[in-house]
Every structure is written in C-alpha cells, then in structure tokens.
C-alpha cells in the first residue's frame, strides 16, 4: 500500500524517534509499504517519520542507481533501531534531496565514513562500516529518526533562498507526483 509522505512542517519530522521491538504491530507489512511508497516516489531511501511514525526504522534501496554504478546493485536494506557509533574521514559535499522536501536540492557536507549498528528486518544484529554514497544515504535517513533534515546543514543564506519553497511545502503546495500530507490543508 502506498502511504502519503509527510512534508516539511509536519512535527513528526522533528521528533527523536523511539526504538521498537519485534512485537511492533504489522511490522512486515509496514516495511513492505515503506518500500512501495518509496519506489512510487522514485526515492532511494525512506524513514518512518516520513510516513508519520516516530520509530527508529528506515529503508534504503540503491538499485535505481545500479545501471550507471554497478556497486549499488543489491543494496536493499532495512535498518531497525540503528545507532551510528562512529563518523570518520573527510568532509564531503554533495547535493541532496528528500521526499519530504520535494523540489529542493542543496549541497550538504557529511563525513565520508560511518560505522553503524542496527537490526535487520529479521531482528538480526549487524555492525557495519560504510563509505562513499552508502554512508551519505545512511546518514541522511539516520538524521530523519533523530528529528533532523538535510536543510539544517545548509548555510543561513541558502536557507533564506529556499524560504519561499519551504513555506509552500507547509501549505502542501507541491507538484511532486506522489501522495503527500502537509501540516496545513
Ligand atoms: Zn529525506
């Protein structure tokens, strides 16, 4: 089932999300719905707050990038109760966008490498290190469950320049091709 994506301005996007247990209701179905919602919006990552749930869960699938970059094939992952325990390497700047901020793309500085501990969809524990675009995607989604958005990391001047776009998103004014839920009707 395709779920509406919560737009900038929704308070749930600013909450620090909580851990879940294996007993979380309909978790399998929820994860399947998150992937379906993400694919429908042509996204490569989606975090639970973006569908209105303040829980520590996000999904990533980099397959759409694999045509030009084979290393991204088969990177389809579910992250439950993740903790980034280490950031390292150079600061890298790269343009980012977000399904909760359609129409906005800004350069964001992030650490090159991360180490993350998480549970997968079967509640098997993992402790993994990532670099490159993997680390960027994971950091972007991880920020969501910490109540942060990529525009928090851009300069004050850049934020001033996109203020009109942000106000439109609060009012639900966007022509993105997917279902959204704005804070104002
Ligand atoms: Zn996002």
């Amino acid at each position: 089932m395709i779920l509406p994506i919560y737009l900038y301005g929704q308070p749930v996007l600013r909450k620090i999300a909580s851990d879940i247990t294996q007993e979380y209701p309909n978790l399998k179905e929820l994860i399947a719905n998150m992937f379906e919602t993400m694919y429908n919006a042509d996204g490569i990552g989606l975090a639970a707050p973006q569908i209105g749930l303040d829980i520590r869960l996000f999904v990533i699938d980099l397959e759409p990038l694999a045509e030009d970059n084979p290393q991204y094939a088969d990177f389809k992952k579910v992250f439950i109760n993740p903790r980034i325990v280490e950031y390292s390497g150079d600061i890298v700047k790269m343009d980012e966008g977000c399904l909760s901020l359609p129409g906005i793309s800004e350069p964001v500085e992030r650490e090159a490498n991360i180490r993350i501990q998480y549970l997968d969809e079967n509640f098997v524990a993992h402790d993994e290190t990532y670099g490159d675009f993997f680390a960027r995607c994971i950091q972007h989604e991880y920020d969501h469950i910490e109540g942060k958005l990529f525009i928090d990391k851009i300069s004050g001047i850049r934020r001033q320049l996109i203020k009109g776009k942000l106000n439109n998103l609060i009012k639900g004014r966007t022509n993105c091709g997917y279902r959204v839920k704005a804070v104002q009707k």
Side-chain angles (χ1 to χ4, degrees):
M1 189 173 63
I2 294 166
L3 306 165
I5 293 178
Y6 282 52
L7 288 183
Y8 173 81
Q10 287 279 11
V12 69
L13 295 174
R14 291 308 191 179
K15 280 190 181 170
I16 295 177
S18 305
D19 282 342
I20 57 169
T21 67
Q22 230 162 338
E23 281 72 47
Y24 191 84
N26 306 318
L27 184 57
K28 246 194 155 100
E29 197 186 335
L30 171 64
I31 291 167
N33 288 343
M34 284 178 68
F35 275 114
E36 194 184 346
T37 300
M38 180 182 87
Y39 296 140
N40 177 65
D42 293 326
I44 51 171
L46 187 72
Q50 295 182 276
I51 52 151
L53 298 174
D54 58 341
I55 58 173
R56 298 183 80 83
L57 161 66
F58 60 81
V59 300
I60 293 177
D61 188 350
L62 299 183
E63 182 68 39
L65 309 174
E67 205 172 307
D68 298 326
N69 307 277
Q71 71 270 30
Y72 300 137
D74 304 320
F75 189 91
K76 179 181 177 179
K77 280 181 187 282
V78 177
F79 294 81
I80 295 171
N81 302 343
R83 295 284 185 282
I84 294 181
V85 293
E86 215 176 291
Y87 292 87
S88 62
D90 295 335
I91 301 295
V92 186
K93 202 178 207 175
M94 194 180 170
D95 279 357
E96 288 188 24
C98 179
L99 296 179
S100 293
L101 293 138
I104 297 173
S105 175
E106 291 290 329
V108 178
E109 290 185 342
R110 293 192 186 275
E111 277 83 355
N113 309 302
I114 54 146
R115 183 178 153 208
I116 186 167
Q117 297 170 344
Y118 67 98
L119 304 169
D120 63 23
E121 62 273 38
N122 300 311
F123 276 75
V124 175
H126 298 265
D127 186 332
E128 293 164 355
T129 303
Y130 289 105
D132 184 33
F133 194 64
F134 302 103
R136 176 162 297 265
C137 281
I138 291 168
Q139 287 179 74
H140 178 111
E141 299 312 324
Y142 187 81
D143 276 357
H144 275 301
I145 61 169
E146 291 287 313
K148 297 177 195 157
L149 298 169
F150 79 91
I151 53 163
D152 303 345
K153 294 179 181 285
I154 66 177
S155 70
I157 295 166
R158 296 298 314 170
R159 205 168 312 123
Q160 202 59 35
L161 288 170
I162 61 166
K163 211 174 169 186
K165 286 183 180 177
L166 293 176
N167 283 333
N168 281 338
L169 291 178
I170 289 170
K171 292 169 185 143
R173 288 186 197 141
T174 168
N175 52 8
C176 66
Y178 47 87
R179 283 178 70 200
V180 294
K181 204 164 178 174
V183 71
Q184 289 177 12
K185 289 255 163 70

